[in-house]
Amino acid sequence: MAVKKTLVAVAMMAAALCGTMASPALAATSGSERFILFGGGDSQTVVATGAFFGTGQSFPIDEDNDLFVFADGTFHVNHPQTGGHDSFNDVACIGTSTFSGTYSLSQGTGAYAGISG
């Protein structure tokens, strides 16, 4: 029996009004942010694009909350799911879940101190 490995990609959209972003020398930034998560279990790789860019790790706190850890700081993401869909490709052995909802960012440290939205 073959063991299947599953890569779960979760795309989350968040409208973020971001305080200090990727570098303390940058002015305050606001705009939409997209988070793409790869993996499963106790941590996932997260890629952030939009008002700021970065690659880090996402650590689940509970069903609706994660801690995002980047090289230059951290922040909490509250992500109650209100919609979305799942798909699985048997040939490639890849599952994809897309979630939608109103998310909030808070409790930033480092470059993300003051993040909100």
Side-chain angles (χ1 to χ4, degrees), residues 10-15 32-36 46-52 54 98:
V10 180
M12 299 185 336
M13 292 295 292
S32 294
E33 192 66 27
R34 180 175 181 165
F35 301 105
I36 302 172
V46 60
V47 177
T49 62
F52 62 92
T98 302

Side-chain angles (χ1 to χ4, degrees), residues 71-99:
D72 51 356
T74 68
F75 55 89
H76 284 220
V77 179
N78 175 259
H79 53 84
Q81 182 179 345
T82 59
H85 63 275
D86 298 321
S87 64
F88 189 79
N89 181 321
D90 289 327
V91 174
C93 196
I94 295 176
T96 302
S97 297
T98 302
F99 301 108

Side-chain angles (χ1 to χ4, degrees), residues 23-82:
S23 170
L26 295 177
T29 304
S30 67
S32 294
E33 192 66 27
R34 180 175 181 165
F35 301 105
I36 302 172
L37 287 81
F38 302 93
D42 292 336
S43 77
Q44 299 86 37
T45 298
V46 60
V47 177
T49 62
F52 62 92
F53 300 89
T55 301
Q57 291 295 117
S58 171
F59 297 95
I61 297 169
D62 58 36
E63 185 173 309
D64 291 336
N65 295 281
D66 287 30
L67 174 65
F68 283 10
V69 178
F70 295 91
D72 51 356
T74 68
F75 55 89
H76 284 220
V77 179
N78 175 259
H79 53 84
Q81 182 179 345
T82 59

